[in-house]
Every structure is written in C-alpha cells, then in structure tokens.
Amino acid sequence: MHKLKKSYDNRNDEDVEDICTLLEANVDCTNKLIKHIDNLIEKKYFSEPIYKILISLRDTCAVNAMNIVKFIK
C-alpha cells in the first residue's frame, strides 16, 4: 500500500488511501483502453477524421495515466 509523507496533514488517511486505490484501478483500466485502441488502429482501416480522433483519445488517456502515476507515487 502507499506510504503517506509525514510532513503532510493527513487527518483522513483512510480517505487518501481509498483515493489512491481508485486511481490505481483507473490507471489499470486506462492502460487496457490504450492497448485496445492501439489494436483497433492496427487491425482496421479508418477514415482520417476517425483515425485522428482515436489517436487523440489514446494520447489523452496516456497523459492522464502518467499524471495519476505521478500523484500516487
């Protein structure tokens, strides 16, 4: 589990731990979504607008996952 820094005011450690647990689950789900989008792009042909939307969605998911990982570490 996560170790909380002593320098922070952690009046509700359980709530913070619950948030970290949910964020970890979110990252796992987001990684699955990214892989699924990548597989879809590789296996099917899409029009340029749809392709750009899928790429943009994948990139947004990746950035969000990276930000969450920075927060929970």
Side-chain angles (χ1 to χ4, degrees):
M1 196 49 74
H2 300 282
K3 300 290 183 210
L4 298 174
K5 296 180 182 177
K6 304 253 185 218
S7 61
Y8 295 152
D9 180 12
N10 296 315
R11 294 182 186 153
N12 251 337
D13 289 347
E14 270 187 39
D15 289 340
V16 173
E17 291 294 331
D18 290 344
I19 289 171
C20 288
T21 302
L22 289 172
L23 287 172
E24 284 177 347
N26 183 291
V27 169
D28 292 340
C29 183
T30 301
N31 286 333
K32 289 178 187 175
L33 178 61
I34 290 168
K35 288 178 185 176
H36 186 74
I37 291 171
D38 284 342
N39 287 334
L40 188 63
I41 290 171
E42 290 174 8
K43 293 180 180 178
K44 301 221 182 223
Y45 174 77
F46 294 102
S47 64
E48 189 68 23
I50 299 296
Y51 178 78
K52 285 182 179 181
I53 290 169
L54 288 171
I55 295 293
S56 177
L57 180 59
R58 183 196 63 197
D59 292 347
T60 301
C61 288
V63 169
N64 288 338
M66 287 187 292
N67 286 334
I68 291 170
V69 168
K70 285 181 189 177
F71 174 76
I72 60 178
K73 281 193 176 185

